[in-house]
Amino acid sequence: MNKDNRRWKRLEIGFFYSLVGGELKSGEGYVEAAERELYEETGLIQNVGEMIRERDDVYAVARSVPARWLEQYFLVEWPANRDVFAAEWTDEEKSTIQKWKWWSLDELLDNDPDLFKPKWLPDLLRSVLHKQRLSNESL
């Protein structure tokens, strides 16, 4: 999420949009993995914030077979206008990720939820922004 324009960074992978992410390396925790993946896929060096969602699901990623994924989603905020680049993309990422795109909340909500993986991502952003707005109003 960008502090200035309240948008969430998204990856376009084929026919759907997904967040930065990947597998845990041996001995690595979720926070360490999230920060490593953020750098590898965007070039951004940033501490991740609070965990905002967990997911336990079975699905296939890119060209893989279905597998069980235990995921944690973290809030990441960074300044506007930071360049994003493929710092350390794998060959699979190079062949499947087509572009980065900034989305406003309205744009996310105006699209078919099936465009996003997982499809509840627009609602997650809406709840995060609502929580932040309530927090700011109480100050």
Side-chain angles (χ1 to χ4, degrees):
M1 180 168 47
N2 181 296
K3 288 182 182 179
D4 294 338
N5 60 14
R6 312 303 280 179
R7 294 179 184 201
W8 210 345
K9 196 65 157 182
R10 309 285 305 188
L11 282 176
E12 182 177 0
I13 306 177
F15 61 94
F16 64 89
Y17 290 87
S18 179
L19 297 175
V20 169
E23 298 178 25
L24 295 173
K25 291 186 175 181
S26 180
E28 189 175 51
Y30 281 93
V31 170
E32 296 162 308
E35 290 173 353
R36 176 184 50 77
E37 289 287 347
L38 182 65
Y39 170 72
E40 290 176 0
E41 296 183 16
T42 69
L44 297 170
I45 299 172
Q46 179 75 24
N47 293 330
V48 300
E50 68 178 295
M51 184 183 54
I52 54 176
R53 178 92 186 233
E54 289 184 278
R55 178 167 88 146
D56 180 346
D57 203 354
V58 175
Y59 61 93
V61 175
R63 297 182 183 96
S64 68
V65 296
R68 182 178 183 202
W69 294 87
L70 304 173
E71 302 172 334
Q72 293 184 358
Y73 292 76
F74 297 91
L75 181 62
V76 178
E77 299 182 68
W78 57 75
N81 303 319
R82 297 247 326 248
D83 289 332
V84 174
F85 61 94
E88 295 182 23
W89 281 12
T90 64
D91 288 340
E92 183 176 335
E93 289 166 338
K94 290 175 188 173
S95 68
T96 57
I97 298 172
Q98 297 176 9
K99 68 179 180 178
W100 280 99
K101 179 178 172 76
W102 284 101
W103 292 77
S104 70
L105 178 59
D106 288 340
E107 289 171 323
L108 289 171
L109 295 172
D110 285 345
N111 277 280
D112 182 347
D114 289 331
L115 185 61
F116 308 102
K117 302 294 180 206
K119 64 183 177 183
W120 43 257
L121 287 174
D123 289 329
L124 178 62
L125 178 59
R126 178 176 32 204
S127 69
V128 167
L129 293 175
H130 178 73
K131 181 180 172 184
Q132 286 185 341
R133 184 177 55 79
L134 291 176
S135 177
N136 290 338
E137 288 175 359
S138 68
L139 295 177

